[in-house]
Protein backbone atom coordinates (compact mmCIF):
# COMPACT_ATOMS: atom_id res chain seq x y z
CA UNK A 1 0.00 0.00 0.00
CA UNK A 2 1.36 3.40 -1.00
CA UNK A 3 1.68 5.89 1.84
CA UNK A 4 1.17 9.62 1.25
CA UNK A 5 1.89 12.40 3.74
CA UNK A 6 0.01 15.71 3.56
CA UNK A 7 1.66 18.68 5.29
CA UNK A 8 -0.74 21.17 6.86
CA UNK A 9 -1.04 23.86 9.49
CA UNK A 10 -2.79 22.82 12.70
CA UNK A 11 -5.74 25.24 12.84
CA UNK A 12 -9.26 23.80 12.59
CA UNK A 13 -9.66 25.35 9.13
CA UNK A 14 -6.30 24.08 7.83
CA UNK A 15 -7.13 20.60 9.15
CA UNK A 16 -10.58 20.73 7.51
CA UNK A 17 -8.93 21.63 4.21
CA UNK A 18 -6.28 18.90 4.47
CA UNK A 19 -8.87 16.29 5.49
CA UNK A 20 -11.12 17.39 2.63
CA UNK A 21 -8.34 16.69 0.11
CA UNK A 22 -7.42 13.48 1.97
CA UNK A 23 -10.97 12.14 1.65
CA UNK A 24 -11.20 13.07 -2.06
CA UNK A 25 -7.95 11.15 -2.67
CA UNK A 26 -9.07 8.16 -0.57
CA UNK A 27 -12.39 8.00 -2.43
CA UNK A 28 -10.56 7.95 -5.75
CA UNK A 29 -7.75 5.54 -4.80
CA UNK A 30 -8.46 2.77 -2.32
CA UNK A 31 -4.89 1.45 -2.46
CA UNK A 32 -3.25 4.43 -0.71
CA UNK A 33 -2.83 5.27 2.94
CA UNK A 34 -2.79 8.99 3.78
CA UNK A 35 -1.56 10.66 6.95
CA UNK A 36 -1.41 14.32 7.95
CA UNK A 37 1.76 15.97 9.21
CA UNK A 38 0.93 19.07 11.27
CA UNK A 39 3.50 21.85 11.02
CA UNK A 40 3.66 25.15 12.91
CA UNK A 41 4.50 28.15 10.71
CA UNK A 42 5.88 31.56 11.66
CA UNK A 43 2.40 33.04 11.12
CA UNK A 44 0.94 30.58 13.65
CA UNK A 45 3.57 31.34 16.28
CA UNK A 46 3.61 35.16 16.18
CA UNK A 47 0.08 36.11 17.19
CA UNK A 48 0.54 39.40 19.06
CA UNK A 49 1.66 41.47 16.06
CA UNK A 50 -0.41 42.60 13.04
CA UNK A 51 0.40 40.54 9.95
CA UNK A 52 1.56 43.62 8.06
CA UNK A 53 4.18 44.24 10.76
CA UNK A 54 5.44 40.63 10.90
CA UNK A 55 6.33 41.22 7.26
CA UNK A 56 7.69 38.86 4.67
CA UNK A 57 5.78 36.71 2.24
CA UNK A 58 4.97 33.10 2.92
CA UNK A 59 4.28 33.57 6.62
CA UNK A 60 1.98 30.56 6.64
CA UNK A 61 3.81 28.30 4.20
CA UNK A 62 7.62 28.44 4.54
CA UNK A 63 8.01 25.65 7.12
CA UNK A 64 5.54 23.51 5.17
CA UNK A 65 7.52 24.07 1.96
CA UNK A 66 10.68 23.01 3.80
CA UNK A 67 8.95 19.72 4.66
CA UNK A 68 8.09 19.16 0.98
CA UNK A 69 11.63 19.94 -0.17
CA UNK A 70 13.19 17.60 2.42
CA UNK A 71 10.84 14.77 1.48
CA UNK A 72 9.07 14.71 4.87
CA UNK A 73 5.78 15.35 3.04
CA UNK A 74 4.46 14.46 -0.42
CA UNK A 75 2.00 17.31 -0.81
CA UNK A 76 0.73 20.35 1.07
CA UNK A 77 -2.72 21.92 1.16
CA UNK A 78 -2.79 25.72 1.46
CA UNK A 79 -5.32 28.51 1.31
CA UNK A 80 -4.43 30.04 -2.05
CA UNK A 81 -4.33 33.54 -0.60
CA UNK A 82 -1.45 32.49 1.70
CA UNK A 83 0.67 31.08 -1.14
CA UNK A 84 3.50 33.45 -2.20
CA UNK A 85 3.60 34.54 -5.83
CA UNK A 86 7.00 32.95 -6.43
CA UNK A 87 7.46 29.40 -5.20
CA UNK A 88 10.87 28.10 -4.07
CA UNK A 89 12.97 26.24 -6.65
CA UNK A 90 11.87 22.63 -6.82
CA UNK A 91 8.22 23.25 -5.86
CA UNK A 92 5.09 23.77 -7.96
CA UNK A 93 1.34 24.10 -7.63
CA UNK A 94 0.04 20.71 -8.64
CA UNK A 95 -3.70 21.38 -8.49
CA UNK A 96 -6.27 24.07 -7.69
CA UNK A 97 -9.61 22.48 -6.70
CA UNK A 98 -13.02 24.11 -7.05
CA UNK A 99 -13.36 27.36 -5.13
CA UNK A 100 -15.62 27.91 -2.14
CA UNK A 101 -17.24 31.33 -1.55
CA UNK A 102 -14.63 33.97 -2.52
CA UNK A 103 -16.07 36.86 -0.50
CA UNK A 104 -15.71 38.20 3.03
CA UNK A 105 -18.30 38.03 5.78
CA UNK A 106 -19.41 40.62 8.35
CA UNK A 107 -20.06 38.92 11.72
CA UNK A 108 -21.63 40.46 14.79
CA UNK A 109 -23.36 39.48 18.00
CA UNK A 110 -25.60 42.56 18.11
CA UNK A 111 -25.71 44.33 14.76
CA UNK A 112 -27.28 43.11 11.52
CA UNK A 113 -24.92 44.81 9.10
CA UNK A 114 -22.28 47.50 8.61
CA UNK A 115 -24.89 50.27 8.44
CA UNK A 116 -26.35 49.31 11.82
CA UNK A 117 -23.06 49.58 13.71
CA UNK A 118 -23.10 52.49 16.17
CA UNK A 119 -20.84 55.50 15.69
CA UNK A 120 -17.17 54.64 16.44
CA UNK A 121 -17.94 50.93 16.79
CA UNK A 122 -14.93 48.59 17.09
CA UNK A 123 -14.36 46.28 14.13
CA UNK A 124 -11.76 43.51 14.29
CA UNK A 125 -9.47 42.58 11.41
CA UNK A 126 -5.74 42.15 10.87
CA UNK A 127 -6.06 42.72 7.13
CA UNK A 128 -5.26 46.15 5.67
CA UNK A 129 -7.38 45.23 2.65
CA UNK A 130 -10.46 44.65 4.83
CA UNK A 131 -9.64 47.69 6.95
CA UNK A 132 -9.49 50.03 3.95
CA UNK A 133 -12.73 48.76 2.45
CA UNK A 134 -14.74 48.87 5.68
CA UNK A 135 -13.47 52.40 6.37
CA UNK A 136 -14.53 53.41 2.87
CA UNK A 137 -18.07 52.40 3.85
CA UNK A 138 -17.88 53.79 7.41
CA UNK A 139 -14.99 56.23 8.07
CA UNK A 140 -16.05 56.61 11.75
CA UNK A 141 -15.33 52.99 12.69
CA UNK A 142 -12.42 52.03 14.95
CA UNK A 143 -10.29 49.20 13.56
CA UNK A 144 -8.70 46.94 16.15
CA UNK A 145 -6.21 44.17 15.42
CA UNK A 146 -7.65 40.65 15.37
CA UNK A 147 -5.39 37.60 15.04
CA UNK A 148 -5.79 33.91 15.76
CA UNK A 149 -7.72 31.09 14.12
CA UNK A 150 -11.34 31.45 12.99
CA UNK A 151 -12.94 30.17 16.21
CA UNK A 152 -10.63 32.30 18.40
CA UNK A 153 -11.60 35.42 16.45
CA UNK A 154 -15.31 34.62 16.71
CA UNK A 155 -15.00 33.94 20.46
CA UNK A 156 -13.34 37.33 21.00
CA UNK A 157 -16.21 39.03 19.20
CA UNK A 158 -18.84 37.05 21.14
CA UNK A 159 -17.05 38.00 24.38
CA UNK A 160 -17.61 41.66 23.54
CA UNK A 161 -14.07 42.71 22.58
CA UNK A 162 -15.38 43.77 19.16
CA UNK A 163 -18.73 45.06 17.90
CA UNK A 164 -18.13 43.17 14.66
CA UNK A 165 -15.38 41.28 12.85
CA UNK A 166 -14.65 40.49 9.21
CA UNK A 167 -13.57 37.00 8.12
CA UNK A 168 -13.40 35.04 4.87
CA UNK A 169 -16.80 33.50 4.13
CA UNK A 170 -15.09 30.28 2.94
CA UNK A 171 -13.69 29.56 6.40
CA UNK A 172 -17.04 30.10 8.10
CA UNK A 173 -18.80 27.82 5.62
CA UNK A 174 -16.15 25.09 5.66
CA UNK A 175 -16.24 24.90 9.46
CA UNK A 176 -20.04 25.18 9.63
CA UNK A 177 -19.89 28.11 12.06
CA UNK A 178 -22.49 30.78 12.66
CA UNK A 179 -23.10 33.81 14.87
CA UNK A 180 -26.29 35.81 15.53
CA UNK A 181 -25.70 38.18 12.58
CA UNK A 182 -23.80 37.39 9.38
CA UNK A 183 -23.77 39.45 6.23
CA UNK A 184 -21.79 38.73 3.04
CA UNK A 185 -19.52 41.60 2.00
CA UNK A 186 -19.57 41.40 -1.79
CA UNK A 187 -18.58 43.35 -4.90
CA UNK A 188 -18.79 46.15 -5.81
CA UNK A 189 -18.49 47.48 -2.22
CA UNK A 190 -16.07 44.82 -1.05
CA UNK A 191 -13.46 42.93 -3.06
CA UNK A 192 -11.73 39.80 -1.70
CA UNK A 193 -8.04 38.91 -1.52
CA UNK A 194 -6.51 37.40 -4.64
CA UNK A 195 -7.29 33.68 -4.67
CA UNK A 196 -9.55 33.88 -1.62
CA UNK A 197 -11.76 30.82 -1.11
CA UNK A 198 -9.54 28.60 -3.27
CA UNK A 199 -7.16 25.87 -2.14
CA UNK A 200 -3.75 25.17 -3.65
CA UNK A 201 -2.00 21.82 -3.56
CA UNK A 202 1.77 22.25 -3.59
CA UNK A 203 4.16 19.45 -4.51
CA UNK A 204 7.78 18.91 -5.49
CA UNK A 205 8.39 19.56 -9.19
CA UNK A 206 10.07 16.18 -9.61
CA UNK A 207 7.10 14.19 -8.24
CA UNK A 208 5.34 13.26 -11.47
CA UNK A 209 3.64 10.40 -9.56
CA UNK A 210 1.95 12.87 -7.19
CA UNK A 211 1.13 15.29 -10.01
CA UNK A 212 -0.67 12.51 -11.90
CA UNK A 213 -2.45 11.38 -8.74
CA UNK A 214 -3.91 14.82 -7.91
CA UNK A 215 -4.66 16.02 -11.45
CA UNK A 216 -8.35 15.05 -11.13
CA UNK A 217 -8.69 17.67 -8.36
CA UNK A 218 -8.07 20.55 -10.77
CA UNK A 219 -11.09 22.78 -11.45
CA UNK A 220 -10.51 24.63 -14.72
CA UNK A 221 -12.68 27.70 -14.03
CA UNK A 222 -11.18 28.20 -10.57
CA UNK A 223 -7.67 27.75 -11.94
CA UNK A 224 -8.19 30.37 -14.68
CA UNK A 225 -9.67 32.93 -12.28
CA UNK A 226 -7.04 32.37 -9.58
CA UNK A 227 -4.22 32.63 -12.11
CA UNK A 228 -5.54 35.98 -13.36
CA UNK A 229 -5.85 37.33 -9.79
CA UNK A 230 -2.40 36.07 -8.81
CA UNK A 231 -0.83 37.56 -11.92
CA UNK A 232 -2.26 40.94 -10.84
CA UNK A 233 -0.88 40.50 -7.31
CA UNK A 234 2.51 39.33 -8.54
CA UNK A 235 2.84 42.36 -10.82
CA UNK A 236 2.23 44.59 -7.79
CA UNK A 237 4.87 42.64 -5.85
CA UNK A 238 2.10 42.07 -3.31
CA UNK A 239 1.56 39.68 -0.45
CA UNK A 240 -1.48 39.12 1.77
CA UNK A 241 -0.36 41.90 4.14
CA UNK A 242 -1.06 44.86 1.83
CA UNK A 243 -4.35 46.55 0.85
CA UNK A 244 -4.67 44.85 -2.55
CA UNK A 245 -7.89 43.16 -3.68
CA UNK A 246 -9.07 41.53 -6.89
CA UNK A 247 -11.93 39.51 -8.28
CA UNK A 248 -12.27 37.75 -11.60
CA UNK A 249 -15.26 36.49 -13.51
CA UNK A 250 -15.39 34.03 -16.37
CA UNK A 251 -17.90 34.39 -19.20
CA UNK A 252 -17.52 31.96 -22.10
CA UNK A 253 -13.96 32.58 -23.27
CA UNK A 254 -13.31 35.94 -21.58
CA UNK A 255 -12.07 36.88 -18.12
CA UNK A 256 -13.08 40.13 -16.42
CA UNK A 257 -10.68 41.19 -13.69
CA UNK A 258 -11.35 43.99 -11.22
CA UNK A 259 -8.61 45.10 -8.87
CA UNK A 260 -7.89 47.76 -6.31
CA UNK A 261 -5.10 49.20 -4.22
CA UNK A 262 -6.07 51.36 -1.24
CA UNK A 263 -4.58 53.55 1.42
CA UNK A 264 -5.10 51.67 4.73
CA UNK A 265 -7.23 54.59 6.00
CA UNK A 266 -9.30 54.53 2.77
CA UNK A 267 -8.32 58.12 1.95
CA UNK A 268 -7.49 56.91 -1.55
CA UNK A 269 -8.75 53.87 -3.43
CA UNK A 270 -7.52 53.15 -6.95
CA UNK A 271 -9.73 50.73 -8.80
CA UNK A 272 -9.97 49.50 -12.39
CA UNK A 273 -11.55 46.68 -14.39
CA UNK A 274 -10.17 45.06 -17.56
CA UNK A 275 -11.30 42.18 -19.76
CA UNK A 276 -9.33 39.79 -21.97
CA UNK A 277 -9.46 36.26 -23.34
CA UNK A 278 -8.86 33.18 -21.19
CA UNK A 279 -5.57 32.55 -23.02
CA UNK A 280 -4.37 36.05 -22.07
CA UNK A 281 -5.30 35.79 -18.38
CA UNK A 282 -1.72 36.24 -17.12
CA UNK A 283 -1.26 39.28 -19.39
CA UNK A 284 -4.61 40.59 -18.13
CA UNK A 285 -3.37 40.56 -14.54
CA UNK A 286 -0.17 42.33 -15.58
CA UNK A 287 -2.06 44.97 -17.59
CA UNK A 288 -4.46 45.68 -14.74
CA UNK A 289 -1.55 46.06 -12.30
CA UNK A 290 0.21 48.43 -14.71
CA UNK A 291 -2.93 50.57 -15.06
CA UNK A 292 -3.42 50.76 -11.30
CA UNK A 293 0.27 51.50 -10.63
CA UNK A 294 0.28 54.31 -13.19
CA UNK A 295 -2.74 55.86 -11.55
CA UNK A 296 -1.27 56.34 -8.08
CA UNK A 297 -0.88 52.90 -6.55
CA UNK A 298 2.90 52.80 -6.82
CA UNK A 299 3.28 55.60 -4.22
CA UNK A 300 0.92 53.84 -1.80
CA UNK A 301 2.64 50.47 -2.13
CA UNK A 302 6.16 51.88 -2.02
CA UNK A 303 5.42 53.60 1.27
CA UNK A 304 3.81 50.50 2.79
CA UNK A 305 6.67 48.21 1.72
CA UNK A 306 9.17 50.66 3.19
CA UNK A 307 7.27 50.67 6.50
CA UNK A 308 7.33 46.86 6.59
Amino acid sequence: MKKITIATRGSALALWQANHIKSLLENKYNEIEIELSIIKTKGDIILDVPLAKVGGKGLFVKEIEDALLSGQADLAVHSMKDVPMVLPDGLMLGAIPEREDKYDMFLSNLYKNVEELPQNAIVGTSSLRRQAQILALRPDLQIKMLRGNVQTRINKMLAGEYDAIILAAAGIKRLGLSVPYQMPLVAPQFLPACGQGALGIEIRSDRQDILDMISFLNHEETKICVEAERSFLKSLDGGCQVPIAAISKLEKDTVTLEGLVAEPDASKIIRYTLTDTIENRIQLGENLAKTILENGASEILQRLYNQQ
Side-chain angles (χ1 to χ4, degrees), residues 78-103:
H78 305 293
S79 290
M80 242 359 263
K81 69 184 174 76
D82 294 333
V83 178
M85 293 307 104
V86 180
L87 300 183
D89 284 345
L91 296 181
M92 64 181 282
L93 274 172
I96 299 177
E98 187 170 1
R99 197 176 204 167
E100 194 14 301
D101 189 325
K102 63 182 90 162
Y103 287 111

Side-chain angles (χ1 to χ4, degrees), residues 22-131:
K22 176 176 183 267
S23 68
L24 291 174
L25 288 168
E26 285 171 342
N27 288 341
K28 176 94 172 160
Y29 309 105
N30 48 19
E31 72 284 1
I32 59 170
E33 183 191 336
I34 303 177
E35 64 172 23
L36 301 188
S37 170
I38 297 169
I39 295 171
K40 258 196 158 50
T41 66
K42 185 178 177 184
D44 297 312
I45 295 162
I46 304 172
L47 290 174
D48 54 348
V49 180
L51 282 176
K53 295 258 190 314
V54 180
K57 294 165 193 164
L59 278 179
F60 294 108
V61 300
K62 188 189 176 302
E63 291 79 0
I64 289 173
E65 290 179 331
D66 291 344
L68 286 174
L69 288 167
S70 70
Q72 277 176 269
D74 300 291
L75 58 108
V77 180
H78 305 293
S79 290
M80 242 359 263
K81 69 184 174 76
D82 294 333
V83 178
M85 293 307 104
V86 180
L87 300 183
D89 284 345
L91 296 181
M92 64 181 282
L93 274 172
I96 299 177
E98 187 170 1
R99 197 176 204 167
E100 194 14 301
D101 189 325
K102 63 182 90 162
Y103 287 111
D104 285 312
M105 184 87 79
F106 167 94
L107 302 153
S108 179
N109 202 17
L110 300 170
Y111 307 101
K112 277 186 196 152
N113 51 40
V114 179
E115 294 74 36
E116 275 203 6
L117 286 171
Q119 199 68 10
N120 300 314
I122 295 171
V123 174
T125 178
S126 59
S127 154
L128 294 178
R129 172 187 63 81
R130 289 174 179 149
Q131 171 181 314

Side-chain angles (χ1 to χ4, degrees), residues 43-275:
D44 297 312
I45 295 162
I46 304 172
L47 290 174
D48 54 348
V49 180
L51 282 176
K53 295 258 190 314
V54 180
K57 294 165 193 164
L59 278 179
F60 294 108
V61 300
K62 188 189 176 302
E63 291 79 0
I64 289 173
E65 290 179 331
D66 291 344
L68 286 174
L69 288 167
S70 70
Q72 277 176 269
D74 300 291
L75 58 108
V77 180
H78 305 293
S79 290
M80 242 359 263
K81 69 184 174 76
D82 294 333
V83 178
M85 293 307 104
V86 180
L87 300 183
D89 284 345
L91 296 181
M92 64 181 282
L93 274 172
I96 299 177
E98 187 170 1
R99 197 176 204 167
E100 194 14 301
D101 189 325
K102 63 182 90 162
Y103 287 111
D104 285 312
M105 184 87 79
F106 167 94
L107 302 153
S108 179
N109 202 17
L110 300 170
Y111 307 101
K112 277 186 196 152
N113 51 40
V114 179
E115 294 74 36
E116 275 203 6
L117 286 171
Q119 199 68 10
N120 300 314
I122 295 171
V123 174
T125 178
S126 59
S127 154
L128 294 178
R129 172 187 63 81
R130 289 174 179 149
Q131 171 181 314
Q133 293 187 95
I134 200 85
L135 288 175
L137 296 174
R138 285 283 305 269
D140 62 289
L141 296 174
Q142 309 278 331
I143 306 297
K144 186 173 155 190
M145 188 188 89
L146 177 66
R147 293 281 317 275
N149 64 43
V150 174
Q151 191 64 63
T152 301
R153 296 184 199 197
I154 288 175
N155 290 345
K156 287 180 175 180
M157 184 271 294
L158 293 174
E161 288 183 47
Y162 304 87
D163 295 301
I165 60 175
I166 304 169
L167 296 175
I172 309 294
K173 291 184 174 183
R174 285 176 173 142
L175 292 173
L177 301 172
S178 66
V179 301
Y181 296 108
Q182 300 181 188
M183 187 190 82
L185 295 168
V186 299
Q189 288 82 12
F190 227 88
L191 300 192
C194 301
Q196 185 161 306
L199 300 179
I201 302 176
E202 192 176 16
I203 63 171
R204 277 213 338 238
S205 315
D206 60 2
R207 293 297 302 271
Q208 188 64 41
D209 60 326
I210 301 291
L211 185 62
D212 293 343
M213 181 191 280
I214 64 175
S215 62
F216 79 97
L217 294 168
N218 257 319
H219 185 254
E220 200 53 30
E221 183 179 333
T222 299
K223 189 169 180 284
I224 289 165
C225 288
V226 168
E227 284 175 354
E229 292 165 20
R230 280 172 66 79
S231 168
F232 169 68
L233 187 61
K234 183 180 180 182
S235 302
L236 295 174
D237 192 28
C240 61
Q241 296 94 45
V242 278
I244 298 171
I247 190 165
S248 53
K249 203 164 76 218
L250 211 55
E251 276 166 325
K252 295 201 175 115
D253 55 357
T254 63
V255 186
T256 301
L257 182 63
E258 181 173 8
L260 70 77
V261 170
E263 286 283 7
D265 65 358
S267 57
K268 191 174 188 185
I269 294 179
I270 300 144
R271 179 175 185 152
Y272 284 88
T273 305
L274 296 178
T275 298

